Amino acid sequence: MLYFLQQLINGLTLGMMYGLIAIGYSMVYGIIGMINFAHGEIYMIGAFISIIAFLLLGVLGVTWIPLALLLVLLIAMAFTAAYGWTVERLAYRPLRGSFRLAPLISAIGMSIFLQNYVQLLQGANVKAVPPIITGGWILAEQDGFAVRISNVQIMIILLTLVLMAIFSWIIANTPLGRAQRACEQDLKMAALCGVNVDRTISLTFVMGAALAAVAGLMATLYYGVVDFFIGFLAGIKAFTAAVLGGIGSIPGAMLGGLLLGLVEAFWSGYFTTEYKDVAAFSILVIVLIFLPTGLLGKPEIEKV
Amino acid sequence: MNAPLLEVEHLTMRFGGLVAVDDLSFTAMDQRITAIIGPNGAGKTTVFNCLTGFYRPTVGRLTFHGRFGPVLLEREDGFRIPRHGIARTFQNIRLFAHMTALENLVVAQHNHLMRASGYTVLGLFGWKGYRAAERAAIERARYWLDRMGLLARADWDAGSLPYGEQRKLEIARAMCTQPKLLCLDEPAAGLNPRETAELAELLVEIRDREQIGILLIEHDMSMVMRISDQIIVLDYGRKIAEGTPEQIRTDPVVIKAYLGEAEDEELPEEVREDLARLGGGA
């Protein structure tokens, strides 16, 4: 039972990070119907920017951890958002209105480009970060087995919940959110209502990238190691999460992320760690076969 | 009052070898209802698509005397056209089906709200100007819902409204962009006679009370003849006639191209003789 609880905590932590990345996939798909395969790389860049920001703040002498964390969070979100914006502007917008496969191919190219760009600039070595947030709590103890939740895990879960709340509020209540929902349903009609469709799409990429940056920062803190290749696996897993939840649906992306994180954690805990990716991607295949619209996705209705 | 609102000069739209609109010129006056009629495929909707930035005309100049003075529509980005004061509805209804009726009308006031919200950043912090603007937007939305008799439906998903009400909501949404010219593409399609009569009344009321021009594509001739101030008849992309309802009703060219073709007894004399001879020979 305690072991189960421990895996639950680990799975939730992992799932929150997947969910944050998955939202970026889902929002972009919702609006322009394309899978942004460079999104995993955006997450990786977010992780690198976090490390650089930590080092810089260290040099500048900002040592009070809460302040440093807050600054790193803001810096990572801002710079990664700029990357997201640039990628959309350079690689996708010129191809809008082109055939459906074109932006997808462009996205794969962008993904390879970003990986190599970071590899060249930062080197191929694994970058290690000393633990910044330390300590934790023991929730229960029995027969020498303790259920622990570390402060990093608490931070990840709380920060994700807060961001999700802010984010849902933006989508539901602000003009930008309304414009995004309008664009999601009918791009041309939205333009006729005076919505600047190109800008709305850009801002969608910016929002998705900012959330991926937060996930990147969390991964840096949680695992303590980062390299130029982490975006690939995380990206594909987040994509799986988005499909599982129903691509295009934002609550679905979060739910899919959580479920995927839990599956991975329980699989690793009760079966074998080596096969956890097999379990994760089997879900992708099964969902695509039996539930193509995902858990919360809307069935595609033919427009006449 | 009788100033020109929209001047279309030599508008031509070609799709490959097909000429959908051929050298069309006309002027729509402010505070007047201008109807565009013609058989199916005459190019009426193509004209609308050129006006609202969906198509870039092959040839032609579209001068609109909009909110900020005259503007050449063929040079504008689609999303800027509503700002100058053109709104439109569609033959097949294009509401945001998964948003509520009220939200549909608030989206139509997007420009205004975005500016008031400082492009959302300030809006996030509950800036006063934004809150006032949002209240005004909701107020305007409720006013139009009320005028269309849809106030009780404010929180329904637009997609779940009955057909006739969706038509009304689409007009209400167009009006929420505060246009100077309202372009309606077959607003009476699918409405029953009573609803059509109500619609006709509504359009006249909008023209007189909001003091805007209306450009109307419609197949329901009784409605067109009753409410239009000016009618333009298209056939195969060309303008074949223009005038008041009385002039159009009696124009032989129009009757031949459009009104006459449905009714057998109005066949030209020679044809009837030919037919009679054929019958006699058999």
Side-chain angles (χ1 to χ4, degrees):
Chain A
M1 189 58 215
L2 289 186
Y3 189 63
F4 176 86
L5 196 61
Q6 182 67 62
Q7 297 310 325
L8 188 70
I9 291 168
N10 295 345
L12 280 178
T13 315
L14 195 58
M16 293 282 178
M17 291 194 274
Y18 287 151
L20 282 177
I21 311 174
I23 287 171
Y25 279 105
S26 228
M27 281 207 310
V28 165
Y29 181 84
I31 288 194
I32 52 176
M34 89 167 246
I35 307 292
N36 176 15
F37 273 116
H39 192 57
E41 267 52 61
I42 294 288
Y43 152 83
M44 175 268 291
I45 285 176
F48 269 92
I49 292 175
S50 308
I51 294 186
I52 295 169
F54 268 124
L55 292 176
L56 279 179
L57 287 177
V59 171
L60 291 174
V62 183
T63 45
W64 190 48
I65 300 274
L67 178 67
L69 269 181
L70 184 69
L71 286 177
V72 169
L73 182 71
L74 294 178
I75 293 169
M77 284 174 89
F79 278 87
T80 314
Y83 272 95
W85 186 86
T86 312
V87 166
E88 193 271 337
R89 195 70 189 77
L90 291 181
Y92 307 149
R93 193 185 292 182
L95 294 172
R96 202 164 300 147
S98 174
F99 66 108
R100 237 180 122 74
L101 222 48
L104 194 75
I105 296 166
S106 181
I108 292 171
M110 206 64 214
S111 160
I112 296 169
F113 167 79
L114 287 174
Q115 266 181 36
N116 287 282
Y117 159 79
V118 173
Q119 187 188 0
L120 284 173
L121 281 182
Q122 300 292 330
N125 300 337
V126 172
K127 305 275 177 293
V129 194
I132 291 159
I133 304 176
T134 49
W137 308 80
I138 290 174
L139 296 180
E141 199 162 7
Q142 200 177 34
D143 309 328
F145 182 82
V147 180
R148 291 167 202 279
I149 182 164
S150 69
N151 286 336
V152 177
Q153 286 177 316
I154 294 174
M155 186 214 74
I156 288 175
I157 292 170
L158 287 183
L159 186 56
T160 307
L161 292 177
V162 169
L163 280 174
M164 283 308 298
I166 294 175
F167 193 75
S168 313
W169 185 84
I170 290 178
I171 299 280
N173 292 309
T174 65
L176 173 63
R178 260 193 301 266
Q180 284 176 319
R181 281 180 294 143
C183 285
E184 189 188 323
Q185 293 180 40
D186 191 337
L187 281 179
K188 284 188 168 168
M189 193 61 233
L192 272 184
C193 286
V195 175
N196 185 339
V197 171
D198 278 338
R199 180 157 60 208
T200 307
I201 293 173
S202 285
L203 286 173
T204 304
F205 274 85
V206 163
M207 286 163 86
L211 291 181
V214 178
L217 168 63
M218 288 172 174
T220 309
L221 294 173
Y222 192 49
Y223 297 118
V225 288
V226 164
D227 66 46
F228 72 98
F229 202 59
I230 56 167
F232 176 72
L233 200 58
I236 298 218
K237 282 202 183 140
F239 171 64
T240 306
V243 171
L244 172 61
I247 195 146
S249 153
I250 290 166
M254 207 59 225
L255 180 69
L258 282 178
L259 284 177
L260 193 71
L262 289 173
V263 166
E264 263 197 54
F266 284 118
W267 188 278
S268 310
Y270 286 99
F271 300 102
T272 87
T273 317
E274 285 82 33
Y275 282 85
K276 72 176 199 296
D277 293 345
V278 175
F281 294 124
S282 301
I283 290 182
L284 178 62
V285 175
I286 292 168
V287 169
L288 283 175
I289 292 172
F290 293 106
L291 204 66
T293 56
L295 296 171
L296 301 183
K298 296 181 203 91
E300 188 97 349
I301 297 164
E302 190 77 21
K303 271 183 204 155
V304 187
Chain B
M1 151 137 191
N2 251 329
L5 184 60
L6 172 73
E7 294 168 80
V8 175
E9 293 162 272
H10 305 291
L11 174 66
T12 299
M13 185 74 216
R14 280 191 210 104
F15 299 100
L18 177 79
V19 184
V21 179
D22 190 2
D23 197 26
L24 172 69
S25 300
F26 70 89
T27 302
M29 292 297 198
D30 195 14
Q31 299 177 42
R32 288 281 180 270
I33 296 179
T34 308
I36 302 179
I37 63 172
N40 286 324
K44 304 177 300 274
T45 301
T46 307
V47 174
F48 269 28
N49 285 342
C50 290
L51 288 178
T52 47
F54 277 30
Y55 300 152
R56 220 153 268 255
T58 318
V59 179
R61 189 159 76 161
L62 309 166
T63 315
F64 178 62
H65 298 273
R67 204 172 284 150
F68 318 110
V71 57
L72 295 177
L73 294 177
E74 75 274 14
R75 299 206 185 148
E76 284 293 300
D77 277 340
F79 73 91
R80 283 189 213 281
I81 283 173
R83 291 184 201 172
H84 293 291
I86 294 186
R88 94 175 262 196
T89 66
F90 288 84
Q91 239 171 77
N92 46 336
I93 298 172
R94 286 176 83 166
L95 289 165
F96 301 118
H98 300 296
M99 289 182 165
T100 66
L102 188 74
E103 271 187 318
N104 265 275
L105 303 194
V106 176
V107 169
Q109 303 173 58
H110 180 77
N111 277 321
H112 194 60
L113 273 175
M114 269 317 250
R115 214 170 307 128
S117 76
Y119 299 94
T120 295
V121 182
L122 292 175
L124 286 180
F125 298 112
W127 186 46
K128 258 192 208 150
Y130 168 66
R131 268 192 263 165
E134 176 151 281
R135 256 201 307 278
I138 289 173
E139 204 46 54
R140 176 169 292 112
R142 293 182 71 85
Y143 167 77
W144 279 105
L145 282 177
D146 193 26
R147 263 184 83 173
M148 299 288 168
L150 296 174
L151 203 49
R153 309 277 209 216
D155 295 327
W156 284 44
D157 269 3
S160 60
L161 292 175
Y163 186 83
E165 295 186 352
Q166 291 196 14
R167 281 250 174 249
K168 285 186 187 170
L169 185 61
E170 219 188 7
I171 296 175
R173 182 177 62 183
M175 287 310 297
C176 278
T177 65
Q178 305 177 51
K180 289 191 69 179
L181 176 68
L182 177 63
C183 303
L184 302 171
D185 196 346
E186 295 196 27
L191 298 188
N192 64 35
R194 207 199 65 223
E195 288 170 324
T196 307
E198 280 174 13
L199 175 70
E201 232 167 81
L202 175 76
L203 295 187
V204 170
E205 199 185 291
I206 285 178
R207 174 193 67 189
D208 296 340
R209 232 203 272 176
E210 312 299 323
Q211 309 201 323
I212 63 171
I214 295 178
L215 199 58
L216 175 70
I217 293 177
E218 188 48 67
H219 279 302
D220 186 316
M221 279 308 126
S222 65
M223 175 167 136
V224 169
M225 291 298 167
R226 198 165 68 228
I227 67 171
S228 306
D229 298 300
Q230 186 200 8
I231 298 178
I232 289 145
V233 189
L234 296 188
D235 196 17
Y236 295 107
R238 289 171 171 279
K239 181 169 81 177
I240 57 169
E242 180 174 5
T244 62
E246 289 70 37
Q247 289 165 338
I248 295 299
R249 212 191 306 263
T250 52
D251 191 323
V253 183
V254 177
I255 293 169
K256 192 170 154 202
Y258 186 61
L259 299 173
E261 65 188 7
E263 287 163 66
D264 288 338
E265 58 271 28
E266 286 197 23
L267 285 171
E269 200 57 40
E270 314 85 275
V271 178
R272 219 179 302 160
E273 279 169 19
D274 282 352
L275 279 176
R277 216 172 296 142
L278 263 176

